[in-house]
Amino acid sequence: MLTIAPSGTLDIAGAYLLTDSQTGDDLVVLDNDFSFFQDTWRIHDAQDGSLVAKVTSGGGLITIARKFLPVGQFIGHNFEIADAAGNSIGTIESDFAIRDQYEIKLSDSSSVPIDPIVVATVGSSHRA
């Protein structure tokens, strides 16, 4: 469905290009800021670089616990999804679980492509 290519060789923080594997068209760029306290993914249009949406984790203590505690990866995590204007358009939520399971709720998906939101969720579950 999608091809994801990092922009650099180190996978600490950075940009990831999402390409439609059927057509070869570049869709969006996901960029992630490195932080111990909060994960922030920005979704940019691949053609003009404009901001499409932002996915931000909530709770700095939860983020730290997920990164540093021996069983931290099992702690649930929540994110807020905002459109380019900063308006909240949804959430991503998980509970304590052995395997990451996220529920994505969008109140308005008309201005935000859904596929990159799902990819940002998968990416954040491995970082947070």
Side-chain angles (χ1 to χ4, degrees), residues 7-8 15 22 24 26 29 34-36 39 48 50 69 76 81 95 97 115 117 119:
S7 62
Q22 300 286 326
D26 293 339
V29 175
F34 178 75
S35 172
F36 289 118
D39 266 327
D48 65 16
S50 63
L69 290 178
I81 306 166
D95 293 321
D115 292 343
I117 299 291
V119 172

Side-chain angles (χ1 to χ4, degrees), residues 24-42:
D25 295 338
D26 293 339
L27 302 174
V28 296
V29 175
L30 295 172
D31 74 59
N32 179 256
D33 294 336
F34 178 75
S35 172
F36 289 118
F37 303 108
Q38 184 176 51
D39 266 327
T40 301
W41 289 88
R42 289 178 188 80

Side-chain angles (χ1 to χ4, degrees), residues 57-117:
S57 67
L61 291 177
I62 298 292
T63 301
I64 291 170
R66 284 181 57 88
K67 291 181 181 184
F68 295 109
L69 290 178
V71 293
Q73 70 272 19
F74 303 132
I75 298 172
H77 208 182
N78 298 320
F79 299 84
E80 169 133 6
I81 306 166
D83 64 13
N87 301 314
S88 178
I89 60 162
T91 59
I92 301 168
E93 301 174 352
S94 72
D95 293 321
F96 185 86
I98 300 298
R99 295 188 184 132
D100 285 328
Q101 295 180 354
Y102 289 89
E103 182 175 350
I104 301 171
K105 297 178 186 176
L106 293 172
S107 59
D108 178 15
S109 62
S110 62
S111 63
V112 178
I114 295 171
D115 292 343
I117 299 291

